[in-house]
Amino acid sequence: MLGGCSSINAMFYVRGNDYEFDTWGKQGNPSWTSENANYYFRKAENLQDMKLNEDPSVCSAYGHDGPLVVNTFNSSYSETVQNVLDSWNHIGVKKVLDINAAKYQGRGLCAVARAIAANGVRQSTYKAYLSTATDRSNLKIVTNAFVTKILIDDNGQAYGVEFEKNGKQETVYAGKEVIVSCGAVNTPQLLMLSGVGPKNHLLSKNIFCKADLPVGKNLIDHSYIPVIFYGDKPGPDKFDRTYEAMKYLYDKTGLLAQGNIANMGAFYSRNESLSYPEFQSHLIIFPQKSSVDAARAYLNVFKDSVVDSMTRYHENKTMYICTMHVLHPESSGSIYLRSSDPHDHPIIEPNYLGDYRDVRASVDGIKIITKLLDTPYFKSINAFIPRINVPPCSKYEYPSDQYWECYSRHMTHTVFHPLRTAKMGPNPRDSVVNNYLQVHGIDFLRVIDASIMPTQTSGNTMAPTIMVGEMGADMVKNDYFVQ
Ligand SMILES: Cc1cc2nc3c(=O)[nH]c(=O)nc-3n(C[C@H](O)[C@H](O)[C@H](O)COP(=O)(O)OP(=O)(O)OC[C@H]3O[C@@H](n4cnc5c(N)ncnc54)[C@H](O)[C@@H]3O)c2cc1C
């Protein structure tokens, strides 16, 4: 898909924290500092929220001339969002104007979220970067093309790729180098199919190893655990679907111009002295009397009986889902080849909660969310957090740490932020690409996507991936075009 996941994702625009970009630098990647990262974030951005731009601290934090529109979602629940933000503020997670502009401190920060959306229309990296460049003589976009192999000669030099289109196999040759940007799942798959990966694993799939590198190792992701609240407000939706459709067609506003996730984010920590958040929370609101099917569809990764339990008060109460994400997990997983057939999906072993510190963090992160119940807004709507019928957890007292631990173990799934499967670092024993994103031991082959990030970022991963793309592009230009 042109634009990759930026064309289907939830559009939240979160840069992350200076701490992680400086960590990348300290791990032996000297170009990757918070100063450079912020330069490239600004280079990409074009903040279009005029009200926010009136605030000098926010205006100066963002870029304004870049191709990527950053704005504020339209929202039908802005009053409720403000009430929930006030509740976070009440428990010490300070409400600020903008997360990307604020310096993280204390127990945490929360704010209305920024998004890549303009005038009620989704933006993407395709719209920002490619759609405006299609006339360039040095760009040829081939759609519905499936790359099956990177061509690497006996001297370890990459010189092209093989791909399939309309059932036919074709080859393109590189004038200068091959750049792989298939994302944190398919980049390691393609590298391994091409002979770049752990030697023993490649041999087990009858693939000749051209560079023995830890491709697919070190996978990290942000997990997702839903914490369900019920309350008396807001009341039933009064949306008239026909009117909403007309409104959208008329001026791109209304219900159809927003995402299904409310436009706010909370970032928080157990420890006040940390300079980065340990947890993130999103909010999803299903007003009472709205279709239970909508809530069920959203929760469909869970078993039916669990969804029954989660939605059991929804008919007469508004359901709030406060999601909990551990931002810096200790556990890491792996991606392997299922076979040497490029059409076989790779095996993903995420290993969520493999390290007990992540289990403890999940329990603590959930328990901080439950403190929202004791705030004026949630009290005023008679909010409660129901016990969810997860059978293995029924033996534990509710609420107790044992219950939340069991709940975490059974309810964790992905929030789609996989990283680090072609990790950047100086040492080929534990990394795949160097500071300049060039694959160790293979000439003329670079990886520029989410898979190179050496640590998780404090938030959603699209903005950091775009920053990686911006910096990677300058590295390429620097190598070939700057005298
Ligand atoms: C459902 C969902 C919601 C998300 N919500 C958010 C959000 O709100 N905010 C946020 O910041 N992040 C979000 N993310 C994460 C974010 O979108 C990703 O971190 C980011 O897009 C990663 O970019 P990438 O370029 O590394 O990979 P991708 O975006 O995955 O792009 C890889 C591209 O390569 C193509 N490709 C793969 N293999 C081949 C092949 N063999 N041949 C040809 N093409 C190939 C794919 O089709 C795809 O177009 C979300 C992700 C998902 C899936």
Side-chain angles (χ1 to χ4, degrees):
M1 181 190 295
L2 290 173
C5 294
S6 76
S7 298
I8 54 154
N9 71 13
M11 293 176 272
F12 283 94
Y13 185 83
V14 182
R15 281 185 183 177
N17 189 285
D18 284 355
Y19 161 81
E20 43 253 29
F21 306 120
D22 286 328
T23 303
W24 298 3
K26 285 182 194 145
Q27 290 180 355
N29 308 296
S31 303
W32 301 82
T33 59
S34 57
E35 192 184 348
N36 286 350
N38 286 320
Y39 168 82
Y40 284 105
F41 279 122
R42 284 198 190 92
K43 186 166 187 247
E45 293 161 355
N46 180 349
L47 180 66
Q48 292 202 343
D49 184 318
M50 290 308 151
K51 213 158 164 243
L52 270 184
N53 273 325
E54 284 169 14
D55 184 285
S57 66
V58 178
C59 183
S60 62
Y62 279 95
H64 301 275
D65 307 316
L68 185 75
V69 170
V70 179
N71 209 326
T72 305
F73 270 131
N74 183 12
S75 172
S76 304
Y77 302 116
S78 40
E79 199 186 320
T80 311
V81 164
Q82 287 303 330
N83 285 328
V84 175
L85 286 172
D86 288 342
S87 304
W88 278 103
N89 194 54
H90 203 85
I91 63 167
V93 175
K94 192 172 158 204
K95 182 172 155 183
V96 293
L97 200 51
D98 183 87
I99 284 294
N100 295 317
K103 198 161 174 43
Y104 186 81
Q105 52 171 304
R107 287 270 167 221
L109 304 177
C110 64
V112 167
R114 305 282 89 80
I116 53 156
N119 302 325
V121 179
R122 165 191 285 280
Q123 301 298 291
S124 67
T125 50
Y126 166 69
K127 282 190 185 150
Y129 290 94
L130 278 184
S131 67
T132 52
T134 49
D135 289 343
R136 290 189 195 171
S137 59
N138 61 350
L139 174 68
K140 183 173 168 64
I141 300 173
V142 183
T143 54
N144 295 315
F146 180 64
V147 179
T148 51
K149 194 175 185 182
I150 304 158
L151 299 170
I152 300 171
D153 67 19
D154 293 342
N155 298 320
Q157 299 189 335
Y159 64 96
V161 297
E162 283 176 1
F163 66 97
E164 292 172 3
K165 185 170 166 68
N166 298 331
K168 278 201 334 216
Q169 184 154 317
E170 302 193 30
T171 304
V172 280
Y173 297 100
K176 293 191 163 50
E177 64 174 46
V178 176
I179 298 172
V180 182
S181 307
C182 293
V185 173
N186 294 116
T187 283
Q189 182 191 22
L190 184 61
L191 288 173
M192 288 190 275
L193 288 169
S194 313
V196 179
K199 190 173 182 183
N200 287 341
H201 175 56
L202 298 192
L203 288 178
S204 74
K205 305 294 170 199
N206 294 321
I207 297 170
F208 179 71
C209 181
K210 295 184 171 164
D212 184 7
L213 294 172
V215 173
K217 304 287 179 200
N218 301 308
L219 167 68
I220 31 170
D221 194 3
H222 286 149
S223 57
Y224 170 118
I225 300 176
V227 182
I228 310 280
F229 288 59
Y230 279 104
D232 294 337
K233 283 187 183 163
D237 267 347
K238 295 192 185 76
F239 297 118
D240 173 333
R241 280 162 195 250
T242 313
Y243 175 73
E244 290 297 331
M246 300 297 288
K247 201 157 132 184
Y248 186 76
L249 290 173
Y250 178 67
D251 64 359
K252 298 278 188 293
T253 62
L255 192 61
L256 296 179
Q258 65 187 48
N260 64 342
I261 302 179
N263 60 341
M264 60 144 286
F267 297 79
Y268 59 102
S269 296
R270 292 169 284 194
N271 181 345
E272 276 188 35
S273 63
L274 288 180
S275 57
Y276 60 91
E278 294 179 281
F279 309 103
Q280 181 179 5
S281 180
H282 286 291
L283 172 70
I284 301 104
I285 304 168
F286 292 101
Q288 52 192 284
K289 309 253 186 266
S290 59
S291 158
V292 175
D293 289 347
R296 292 194 75 95
Y298 177 78
L299 295 166
N300 73 359
V301 288
F302 303 108
K303 284 185 178 156
D304 279 353
S305 60
V306 175
V307 177
D308 289 345
S309 175
M310 291 168 113
T311 54
R312 67 190 187 276
Y313 299 105
H314 183 33
E315 178 66 22
N316 299 310
K317 303 248 174 228
T318 289
M319 178 157 84
Y320 295 78
I321 303 178
C322 293
T323 65
M324 201 289 297
H325 315 285
V326 175
L327 288 175
H328 299 283
E330 302 288 343
S331 323
S332 65
S334 299
I335 292 192
Y336 303 102
L337 290 179
R338 193 176 297 276
S339 76
S340 58
D341 180 349
H343 297 279
D344 270 351
H345 294 307
I347 297 168
I348 304 172
E349 275 184 11
N351 192 31
Y352 301 120
L353 307 180
D355 185 310
Y356 186 73
R357 284 172 291 182
D358 296 338
V359 180
R360 192 60 243 172
S362 294
V363 173
D364 292 341
I366 291 172
K367 283 169 68 181
I368 292 172
I369 289 183
T370 64
K371 289 187 180 165
L372 292 172
L373 267 189
D374 240 346
T375 59
Y377 172 67
F378 280 102
K379 277 189 188 160
S380 77
I381 62 167
N382 301 313
F384 62 95
I385 299 175
R387 179 185 189 115
I388 304 300
N389 179 24
V390 183
C393 309
S394 56
K395 55 180 180 278
Y396 298 114
E397 192 184 321
Y398 175 80
S400 64
D401 280 18
Q402 289 100 322
Y403 170 82
W404 287 123
E405 178 171 332
C406 178
Y407 185 84
S408 301
R409 289 189 187 281
H410 289 88
M411 300 295 282
T412 290
H413 69 99
T414 180
V415 75
F416 310 107
H417 295 165
L419 305 179
R420 208 169 65 176
T421 49
K423 183 183 170 211
M424 172 171 62
N427 188 342
R429 269 198 304 229
D430 65 9
S431 64
V432 175
V433 299
N434 66 17
N435 174 71
Y436 300 102
L437 312 182
Q438 294 156 320
V439 173
H440 291 299
I442 302 286
D443 294 332
F444 311 120
L445 180 60
R446 234 182 270 250
V447 176
I448 308 185
D449 64 18
S451 51
I452 66 95
M453 295 189 211
T455 66
Q456 260 296 5
T457 61
S458 295
N460 313 63
T461 47
M462 172 185 63
T465 308
I466 291 170
M467 180 276 290
V468 166
E470 284 282 4
M471 194 173 338
D474 265 8
M475 287 171 168
V476 174
K477 283 189 266 180
N478 206 42
D479 280 357
Y480 298 105
F481 304 114
V482 177
Q483 297 302 315

